[in-house]
Amino acid sequence: MSPGILAPIGRPRLMGVVNVTPDSFSDGGRWLESDAAIEHGRELLADGADVLDIGGESTRPGATRPLVEEELERVVPVITALAAEGAVVSVDTMRAEVAEAAVAAGATIVNDVSGGLADERMLAVVADAGVAYVAMHWRAHSEHMADFATYDAPGGIVRAVRDELARRVDAAVAAGVEADRIVLDPGLGFAKQGEQNWQLLRGLGEVLSLGHPVLVGASRKSFLGTLLGDEHGPRPVDQREAANVALTVELARVGVWGIRVHDVRSSHDALRVVHRLHDPRQEGQE
């Protein structure tokens, strides 16, 4: 049986982002202190988040990796506090050591942007812990990933991402991760240039066809800024939310399991509208 958090609920789960980092592209430094990050997590829950995704390493293009000790110091106190308050917590990490500590602190999801490729111990740790596992499509660390944004095989980027994710599923299952605990993420922006992200979104059905829940993270990413840009350049990071809400509505239509967002309230409001429009049982409940 699938873990409760992976069970369908009639709409996508909203995964609220808590960046406990000094250098994330969207809000680096705002929640670096534990108390600020914990309070931010509480605010996201109040806004409608189903899951809090807590990360201590920025994966923006060109980011430098922190020491493992730094990553642990950033995320463990925040996970401990929020999990103790009843939050469903995901740890956003590529390191098995951090995943182990996070699960011990109360995390029930490991969100690994490398899909197990960055740390050879990760899949075994997840299998032993028995938690849900998000495997993202990934080809290289942030400082080098732009060099790997080439998809020349037949079927282009959509087929390549589907096939590479299928291989990560096989690797996870071989390591002992239960198949019904695996979530797939197409990895928008990771080793993918502007138009490639749009192609992947249009072809998301190929990823869904693998039969696993799908998580999508487009919030505030550069391909949205480019779309909305003008003669002065891309739209600034903090002015891309309306575009992300439009994607939230479309992703709900195609049936993804989850959407990773920074502004939970906007996406939550949009999903309430979609649900109300298509569920006549709610008539007269306003």
Side-chain angles (χ1 to χ4, degrees):
M1 181 180 295
S2 297
I5 191 60
L6 300 188
I9 58 173
R11 63 163 176 83
R13 306 267 183 174
L14 290 177
M15 179 180 278
V17 178
V18 182
N19 287 321
V20 195
T21 60
D23 56 346
S24 291
F25 80 95
S26 171
D27 51 14
R30 293 187 67 186
W31 324 116
L32 182 58
E33 298 300 322
S34 293
D35 288 346
I38 293 165
E39 183 57 33
H40 183 52
R42 292 173 179 147
E43 292 169 352
L44 294 177
L45 290 172
D47 287 342
D50 300 291
V51 181
L52 298 178
D53 193 40
I54 299 169
E57 175 181 354
S58 172
T59 52
R60 64 176 175 78
T64 299
R65 304 196 74 190
L67 297 174
V68 64
E69 293 80 10
E70 292 176 309
E71 189 178 350
L72 286 165
E73 289 172 1
R74 292 171 184 177
V75 302
V76 171
V78 181
I79 293 170
T80 300
L82 291 169
E85 294 177 10
V88 177
V89 174
S90 165
V91 61
D92 180 359
T93 186
M94 292 181 276
R95 288 172 163 144
E97 184 175 345
V98 176
E100 284 180 307
V103 170
T108 55
I109 302 172
V110 173
N111 181 13
D112 177 4
V113 301
S114 81
L117 292 170
D119 188 329
E120 63 182 12
R121 290 185 56 241
M122 179 63 87
L123 297 179
V125 165
V126 171
D128 289 343
V131 295
Y133 181 60
V134 181
M136 196 190 80
H137 178 263
W138 183 90
R139 286 182 164 184
H141 286 289
S142 296
E143 64 268 33
H144 303 299
M145 65 182 178
D147 299 331
F148 292 85
T150 301
Y151 301 89
D152 293 332
I157 186 170
V158 175
R159 183 66 58 85
V161 168
R162 187 200 67 181
D163 291 351
E164 289 172 35
L165 282 174
R167 289 196 286 273
R168 300 320 304 152
V169 170
D170 291 344
V173 171
V177 180
E178 295 178 23
D180 64 359
R181 294 181 179 271
I182 298 173
V183 178
L184 301 178
D185 183 338
L188 298 176
F190 287 79
K192 298 165 189 77
Q193 303 295 344
E195 178 58 28
Q196 293 172 330
N197 295 292
W198 294 110
Q199 293 171 7
L200 192 49
L201 283 167
R202 294 186 197 104
L204 203 57
E206 289 280 340
V207 179
L208 288 163
S209 73
L210 294 173
H212 294 271
V214 170
L215 173 71
V216 176
S219 182
R220 300 181 180 175
K221 289 190 174 178
S222 60
F223 73 97
L224 295 178
T226 299
L227 172 71
L228 303 174
D230 55 24
E231 67 273 15
H232 302 295
R235 181 79 61 84
V237 168
D238 61 354
Q239 297 176 29
R240 301 173 185 174
E241 190 55 37
N244 189 66
V245 169
L247 265 180
T248 292
V249 172
E250 179 63 16
L251 291 168
R253 187 188 69 79
V254 301
V256 302
W257 167 79
I259 305 172
R260 188 175 183 272
V261 296
H262 296 83
D263 183 339
V264 169
R265 177 174 290 184
S266 295
S267 286
H268 188 258
D269 288 352
L271 291 177
R272 289 182 66 185
V273 170
V274 171
H275 187 58
R276 178 64 183 84
L277 183 64
H278 295 287
D279 187 356
R281 292 174 297 178
Q282 295 190 55
E283 290 181 4
Q285 294 184 18
E286 292 89 348

